[in-house]
């Protein structure tokens, strides 16, 4: 594999799936029926109400051996984008094997990830939407709907000031956790830019309102 110089996939991940992808390539050429057999095992495991990653890997291991099983499960768990899979092709892996992994990830990856979230982190969230409502009296209200991993909806609706206070309280809680290493730099940068924009807009409105009163 040499020195890994690609942008989207880590060298550790590729090393982890390397032997499995090589074996998958060989088996697909020798056993065309393996494609449908692999898919049937994944479908069966995903049809269960309480699904663990280990269940799929165990089933696939019986069918193909451990290396192919861990390559398939790792791909379902960790591959998210077209660019990531393209890098496997650029690294020289067999086109048929990579295209089959692409198909499995596209068809079963999102469902697999959703099941894992639901089982392991039911109180986490995976979807959030916003809407602005304008009552007959008073200012605009922000309606926020958060969908938990167990598909329970949580709905909040309040004025802008209350929502900002809620964000401030959440920031205080995050400071207590002190889990700074898990925070992505791009997320923090985006947060800082949006916060500064909100502050600037509020200051401009306040100063504008004051000047208007004086005149």
């Amino acid at each position: 594999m040499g020195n890994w110089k690609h942008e989207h996939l880590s060298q550790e991940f590729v090393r982890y799936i390397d032997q499995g992808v090589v074996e998958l390539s060989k088996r697909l050429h020798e056993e065309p029926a393996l494609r449908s057999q692999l898919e049937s095992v994944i479908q069966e495991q995903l049809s269960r109400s309480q699904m663990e990653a280990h269940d799929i890997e165990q089933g696939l291991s019986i069918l193909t051996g451990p290396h192919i099983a861990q390559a398939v499960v790792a791909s379902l768990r960790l591959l998210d984008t077209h660019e990531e899979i393209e890098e496997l092709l650029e690294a020289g892996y067999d086109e048929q094997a990579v295209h089959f992994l692409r198909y499995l990830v596209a068809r079963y990856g999102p469902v697999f990830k959703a099941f894992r979230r639901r089982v392991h982190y039911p109180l986490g969230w995976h979807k959030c939407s916003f809407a602005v409502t304008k009552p007959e009296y008073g200012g605009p209200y922000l309606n926020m709907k958060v969908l938990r991993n167990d598909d329970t909806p949580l709905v909040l609706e309040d004025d802008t000031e209350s929502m900002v206070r809620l964000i401030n309280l959440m920031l205080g809680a995050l400071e207590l956790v002190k889990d700074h290493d898990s925070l992505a730099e791009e997320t923090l940068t985006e947060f800082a830019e949006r916060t500064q924009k909100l502050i600037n807009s509020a200051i401009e409105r306040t100063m504008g309102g004051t000047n208007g009163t004086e005149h």
Side-chain angles (χ1 to χ4, degrees):
M1 189 173 59
N3 292 325
W4 188 253
K5 299 180 180 179
H6 297 284
E7 178 182 354
H8 299 283
L9 294 177
S10 69
Q11 189 168 10
E12 291 73 19
F13 171 79
V14 178
R15 281 178 177 157
Y16 182 76
I17 68 169
D18 178 68
Q19 188 170 347
V21 177
V22 172
E23 289 183 15
L24 178 63
S25 170
K26 184 173 182 293
R27 294 281 297 275
L28 287 177
H29 284 286
E30 295 175 350
E31 307 169 46
L34 182 64
R35 182 185 296 266
S36 61
Q37 292 169 356
L38 277 164
E39 191 169 359
S40 294
V41 171
I42 294 172
Q43 286 177 335
E44 171 63 25
Q45 297 295 343
L46 288 177
S47 69
R48 300 181 181 183
S49 58
Q50 293 296 316
M51 192 278 300
E52 299 278 354
H54 179 70
D55 294 335
I56 289 183
E57 190 164 342
Q58 185 177 44
L60 292 177
S61 292
I62 295 171
L63 177 66
T64 66
H67 298 124
I68 293 177
Q70 75 180 26
V72 170
V73 171
S75 297
L76 291 176
R77 286 184 59 190
L78 300 172
L79 294 182
D80 290 306
T81 67
H82 175 81
E83 290 76 16
E84 290 171 340
I85 298 173
E86 284 296 300
E87 286 190 353
L88 293 178
L89 288 174
E90 294 170 10
Y93 289 105
D94 177 71
E95 186 173 336
Q96 182 180 2
V98 174
H99 285 327
F100 182 53
L101 286 176
R102 186 200 305 277
Y103 165 75
L104 292 179
V105 170
R107 182 166 185 180
Y108 301 108
V111 179
F112 181 75
K113 293 178 179 70
F115 266 91
R116 282 182 55 80
R117 287 195 304 265
R118 193 172 293 123
V119 171
H120 295 290
Y121 313 105
L123 299 183
W125 68 277
H126 69 278
K127 189 177 293 185
C128 186
S129 60
F130 301 91
V132 177
T133 60
K134 296 183 179 180
E136 185 176 354
Y137 301 102
Y141 277 61
L142 181 64
N143 181 291
M144 180 174 67
K145 180 178 180 181
V146 177
L147 198 62
R148 286 190 346 193
N149 288 338
D150 62 0
D151 291 330
T152 300
L154 304 174
V155 180
L156 289 175
E157 184 174 87
D158 215 326
D159 59 43
T160 306
E161 169 65 16
S162 294
M163 288 298 190
V164 171
R165 288 205 309 271
L166 175 61
I167 294 171
N168 199 33
L169 290 171
M170 293 173 68
L171 286 174
L174 289 172
E175 288 176 3
L176 294 176
V177 175
K178 297 181 179 179
D179 185 21
H180 304 111
D181 292 340
S182 68
L183 300 175
E185 182 178 349
E186 56 271 19
T187 302
L188 292 175
T189 300
E190 184 179 7
F191 177 80
E193 290 173 351
R194 285 182 170 172
T195 304
Q196 190 59 54
K197 185 177 180 180
L198 180 64
I199 293 171
N200 292 342
S201 297
I203 291 174
E204 289 173 5
R205 290 293 183 91
T206 302
M207 293 178 65
T210 302
N211 292 337
T213 302
E214 290 176 349
H215 289 292

